[in-house]
Each structure stands twice: as C-alpha cells, then as structure tokens.
C-alpha cells in the first residue's frame, strides 16, 4: 500500500477484524524535504543529548517502524515477516470469538474488573464534572453539567437569529477528502461534487430544484454552490461537506465589519470563527 512515507498502521480497537498495514512510500523525498520525526529529533538534539535520547531512544524513524513491527509480530506469531509485509502490505486477523464486546471483562465480573472511573462503574452522573462545574470560571453561555443534558450552542436551532435565517447549516466529513487533503484531485472533484443538501420541503417554496446553483448566505458572507435536494436530510436543516478548498475571492463590504467570500463553495466563508464551548467539546478519555 503506497503512503506518503513508510508507516505502520494498525486497527484493532473495535469490530471483529483487526489488521496491520505496512505502508511503503509512493516516492522518495524530493529536494530538502524531511519527515516530522527527523525535524523533532533534530530539535531534541539541540536541547541536549539527554532530551534526544529520551525522545528517540536511539532509533531513527525506520528503526522505530521495524521495532514496533516486531513487537506486533510477537503478539501475532503467524504474521508475515517485515520483508514479506513490504510486498503483501496488510495482515488481517479475525476475532477468535467472532464479535468484539466492549468492556467484556467488566460485564462478566464488575467487581473484579472495575472501570477507570472513580466508582469503577459506568457513570451517568459524574462527580468529577460536578466538582469542575463548581470551581471553574466559565465563559458566559458555557456550562458543565454532571449529567448528560442539552446545552444550547451559539447559532443553534433555538438561536433568535433563526427568525431571519430559518435554515440551519451543518458541516460533515466529506467522502472524497480527508478534511481538505485530496480536495485538489480532479477525478475526485468530478466523482463527488461539493453540494449543499436541502430537504424537498424546504426546497419547493424556494423554487430550488436538484442541481440548481444556489446562493447560501447570512450576515457573515455568501457562497454559490450546487443544490442536492434529498429527503435524506431533515427539514429545516442544510448541510455541506467540510474541507473544500477556497476558489473565490475576498470582497470587503463597507456596510459590514468583515470580509465576504464570494464565488466559493467553502463552508467556512459563512460560519462563525468562535471556539466550541466547553460543554460541547469531546474528551479524549
């Protein structure tokens, strides 16, 4: 499997099929290009030999990949060798019990296998969040609740601005891109065109037919994009794929204290530049 650089890609956290991919670089590094690991290693070296040793453990990027490959192979004895994997590219292994069950040991014996929560159980009420809510100073409008509750977001469905802009715009990860990566590949642009999804109930009174070029706008800006009229999105809501590359130009409006982005299908041309509130952010643990 060709990748940007040699890489070991694993997936064994869910599902009934685990796999490991040993990606090989599609081409050699051109000119003075260096991988991120090399750059950080050089920074560590300049911070001192002890920092460099702690960061790299004396291994290059290639040596780390081979080291981690062999550690993976120790757990999977039937896995091909490093040299064989450079050709086959992927190693698959089905779950011996057919289906992966989350927290299996906890479900079978909660007392002997507690979770990593204060109570050792699945917590609906979080005392840790309750403590944070009582001690943190939050920005106006932000809330932290120890229970899973609805928290209104800026420009959400219940925002007063809905009186002027009745359609809610949402963004989603697009199948032809990874964020904006690969957004400049012509064959992908042709196969998966950037569109704004709209329900037929909302499209009909606006005279919008499938494939029409429409203007999407608010007080922040405007853009022009092809409409996809489909019942696959609920009435009152529209959606666009996130990560599209800018194709328009900025135009300064004297009557508004911001730039308008015209002739583009870039969703960020009309979305707010505000950070997500604490209550809506995902937590890695």
């Amino acid at each position: 499997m060709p990748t940007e650089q040699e890489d070991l890609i694993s997936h064994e956290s869910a599902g009934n099929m685990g796999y490991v991919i040993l990606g090989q670089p599609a081409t050699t590094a051109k000119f003075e290009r260096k991988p991120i690991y090399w750059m950080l290693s050089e920074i560590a070296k300049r911070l001192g030999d002890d920092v460099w040793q702690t960061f790299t453990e004396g291994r290059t990027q290639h040596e780390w990949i081979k080291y981690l490959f062999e550690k993976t192979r120790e757990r999977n004895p039937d896995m091909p060798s490093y040299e064989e994997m450079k050709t086959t590219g992927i190693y698959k292994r089905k779950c011996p019990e057919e289906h992966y069950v989350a927290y299996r040991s906890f479900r079978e014996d909660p007392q002997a296998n507690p979770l990593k929560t204060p109570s050792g159980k699945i917590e609906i009420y979080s005392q840790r969040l309750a403590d944070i809510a009582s001690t943190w100073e939050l920005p106006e409008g932000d809330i932290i609740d120890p229970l899973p509750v609805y928290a209104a977001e800026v420009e959400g469905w219940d925002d007063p601005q809905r009186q002027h802009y009745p359609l809610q715009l949402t963004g989603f990860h697009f199948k032809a891109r990874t964020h904006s990566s690969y957004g400049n590949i012509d064959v992908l642009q042709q196969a998966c065109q950037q569109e704004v999804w709209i329900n037929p109930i909302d499209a009909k009174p606006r005279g919008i037919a499938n494939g029409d070029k429409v203007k999407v706008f608010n007080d922040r800006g405007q853009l022009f994009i092809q409409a996809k009229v489909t019942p696959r999105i609920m009435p009152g809501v529209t959606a666009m794929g996130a990560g599209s590359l800018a194709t328009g130009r900025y135009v300064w409006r004297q009557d508004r204290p911001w730039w308008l982005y015209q002739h583009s299908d870039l969703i960020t041309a009309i979305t707010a530049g505000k950070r997500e509130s604490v209550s809506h952010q995902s937590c890695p643990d």
Side-chain angles (χ1 to χ4, degrees):
M1 174 182 176
T3 51
E4 184 178 36
Q5 56 187 334
E6 185 181 41
D7 200 2
L8 190 63
I9 307 164
S10 64
H11 174 84
E12 53 182 25
S13 59
N16 66 343
M17 174 71 79
Y19 61 82
V20 176
I21 295 174
L22 180 62
Q24 294 299 301
T27 185
T28 57
K30 300 298 186 290
F31 309 108
E32 298 180 4
R33 297 171 189 168
K34 301 293 184 183
I36 293 175
Y37 181 82
W38 182 91
M39 299 177 194
L40 295 178
S41 298
E42 290 298 307
I43 293 174
K45 186 184 297 182
R46 286 156 177 76
L47 294 174
D49 291 341
D50 56 334
V51 177
W52 178 85
Q53 182 61 39
T54 300
F55 178 72
T56 67
E57 296 187 18
R59 297 185 180 94
T60 64
Q61 179 170 326
H62 175 68
E63 289 168 343
W64 264 115
I65 291 172
K66 292 196 70 174
Y67 170 78
L68 294 173
F69 181 92
E70 294 303 329
K71 297 294 286 186
T72 304
R73 198 174 179 216
E74 287 178 9
R75 297 170 52 192
N76 303 272
D78 57 338
M79 184 173 165
S81 68
Y82 172 81
E83 292 299 327
E84 291 173 327
M85 277 285 284
K86 287 172 67 174
T87 301
T88 59
I90 187 170
Y91 164 73
K92 299 179 181 179
R93 180 178 171 186
K94 289 197 68 174
C95 177
E97 297 173 350
E98 288 302 317
H99 294 287
Y100 175 84
V101 178
Y103 306 117
R104 182 190 293 273
S105 59
F106 170 77
R107 291 162 61 97
E108 293 174 347
D109 192 340
Q111 297 297 327
N113 304 289
L115 300 178
K116 295 179 181 179
T117 60
S119 65
K121 303 175 181 178
I122 296 173
E123 296 186 348
I124 298 176
Y125 178 91
S126 172
Q127 185 58 49
R128 286 191 292 188
L129 288 181
D131 294 339
I132 290 174
S134 64
T135 56
W136 282 19
E137 292 186 12
L138 301 175
E140 183 179 357
D142 277 11
I143 67 166
I144 295 178
D145 199 285
L147 287 168
V149 298
Y150 171 74
E153 181 58 287
V154 176
E155 298 185 3
W157 71 272
D158 48 359
D159 192 292
Q161 292 187 73
R162 197 177 183 105
Q163 297 177 7
H164 305 288
Y165 301 107
L167 297 180
Q168 186 80 25
L169 177 65
T170 63
F172 58 89
H173 289 295
F174 200 52
K175 62 184 178 181
R177 300 185 294 270
T178 301
H179 304 296
S180 61
S181 297
Y182 315 115
N184 61 334
I185 299 178
D186 55 357
V187 291
L188 291 179
Q189 292 174 346
Q190 295 167 16
C192 306
Q193 295 186 5
Q194 182 79 345
E195 301 167 312
V196 59
W197 291 33
I198 183 171
N199 188 279
I201 294 175
D202 297 318
K204 186 175 181 180
R206 292 170 173 81
I208 299 173
N210 189 55
D212 282 355
K213 196 84 167 191
V214 299
K215 180 172 77 171
V216 182
F217 66 97
N218 56 19
D219 284 345
R220 194 171 294 113
Q222 63 185 24
L223 56 88
F224 298 86
I225 188 172
Q226 183 173 299
K228 178 176 182 175
V229 181
T230 172
R232 294 174 60 194
I233 190 166
M234 67 186 296
V237 179
T238 59
M240 288 174 54
S244 176
L245 297 172
T247 57
R249 60 189 178 90
Y250 279 111
V251 178
W252 175 250
R253 287 283 297 270
Q254 295 292 339
D255 58 335
R256 292 191 174 94
W258 45 67
W259 294 90
L260 292 182
Y261 206 84
Q262 295 183 315
H263 308 297
S264 173
D265 53 14
L266 191 68
I267 189 173
T268 50
I270 57 175
T271 53
K274 300 175 182 177
R275 68 167 184 82
E276 191 176 28
S277 65
V278 173
S279 57
H280 289 76
Q281 292 177 12
S282 59
C283 181
D285 59 355

